[in-house]
Amino acid sequence: MFDIYLTDVQKNVQFKDYPGEHPVKFILNFKKIFPSVMELLLPVLPSDENLEEMTWESTSSDFEKFKLLLSGWGVIELRLNTIAKFKTRNFADQLVKQAQQKRKSFAKEQPRLSSVELDYLFKHEVHALIDAELVELGEKFYLPTLRELWKVQLKANVLEAKF
C-alpha cells in the first residue's frame, strides 16, 4: 500500500491498486515503462531510511495522471496478451519496442513535450499498433477511448499525436 500526501489539498490517501506487494519495487519497475512516474510521485524517505515505511508526495492532478498511466498499462498488457495469442509473444514485444522508438523520436523532434506527454504518446503508439493488428479480428479501435480518458489532462495536439 502507498501512503501518499496530496500537497495541494493537504490530505493523506492510501493507494492499494497496483500489482505486487512492495510499492517501492513496483514504482522502480513502473518508471522503466513510464519515466514521468518519478515526477508524479515523489518519494519521501523516513528518517531511519526504512523503505518499508516510505511515503510519497504528489498533487491531486499528478496523482490522477499516475492512476491513468497505471490503469492504461493494465489495458495494454491485456491487449498485448491477445496479440501474443493471435501472433507470438515476440511479435507483441516488438510492438512495444516500436512504440518506445516512436517515443524517443517524439522527444527528439518535439523537445517541449513534457515527460507525461511523452508517456501518453508511448501509450498512444502502442494502442495504434495493436489496433492495426487486432482490426483483423474485428476488435474495436481503442484510441478513441484512450483520448477520452486523457482529454482533461493533455492538449489536443498531444491527444491526437499530431504536431
Side-chain angles (χ1 to χ4, degrees):
M1 172 178 4
F2 289 82
D3 287 320
I4 302 166
Y5 180 70
L6 301 177
T7 57
D8 56 333
V9 292
Q10 299 179 349
K11 179 180 174 185
N12 285 309
V13 295
Q14 292 184 331
F15 185 69
K16 303 174 189 168
D17 193 20
Y18 62 94
E21 294 185 20
H22 301 289
V24 174
K25 187 176 180 181
F26 164 74
I27 289 291
L28 291 175
N29 287 327
F30 199 54
K31 82 174 182 82
K32 292 175 187 173
I33 300 167
F34 298 115
S36 68
V37 165
M38 293 311 287
E39 296 170 23
L40 300 174
L41 289 178
L42 303 173
V44 179
L45 279 170
S47 56
D48 64 0
E49 296 185 15
N50 179 354
L51 294 181
E52 298 293 323
E53 296 175 16
M54 181 180 287
T55 59
W56 306 84
E57 282 186 355
S58 188
T59 63
S60 300
S61 173
D62 285 351
F63 185 51
E64 288 305 312
K65 290 174 191 163
F66 168 77
K67 292 191 299 187
L68 279 170
L69 289 173
L70 182 59
S71 65
W73 185 249
V75 171
I76 287 172
E77 284 185 330
L78 288 172
R79 298 186 86 213
L80 287 172
N81 285 335
T82 301
I83 289 285
K85 290 191 185 329
F86 177 58
K87 302 262 182 162
T88 66
R89 172 50 59 190
N90 188 44
F91 183 84
D93 292 345
Q94 285 305 114
L95 294 179
V96 173
K97 288 177 184 170
Q98 278 181 263
Q100 288 170 330
Q101 286 302 106
K102 186 76 173 200
R103 183 190 196 281
K104 286 179 184 176
S105 109
F106 276 130
K108 194 180 288 186
E109 295 165 8
Q110 303 292 325
R112 289 196 168 113
L113 290 173
S114 71
S115 60
V116 171
E117 290 170 326
L118 289 167
D119 285 349
Y120 168 83
L121 290 167
F122 165 69
K123 285 175 55 169
H124 186 279
E125 188 63 22
V126 171
H127 283 298
L129 293 167
I130 293 171
D131 281 354
E133 294 300 324
L134 292 182
V135 74
E136 293 177 34
L137 298 174
E139 177 73 16
K140 285 184 2 186
F141 290 117
Y142 187 78
L143 283 179
T145 303
L146 179 68
R147 291 178 186 128
E148 183 65 26
L149 290 169
W150 280 84
K151 72 180 180 184
V152 175
Q153 306 290 341
L154 301 171
K155 298 174 279 196
N157 67 323
V158 175
L159 281 176
E160 299 289 331
K162 293 183 181 172
F163 302 99

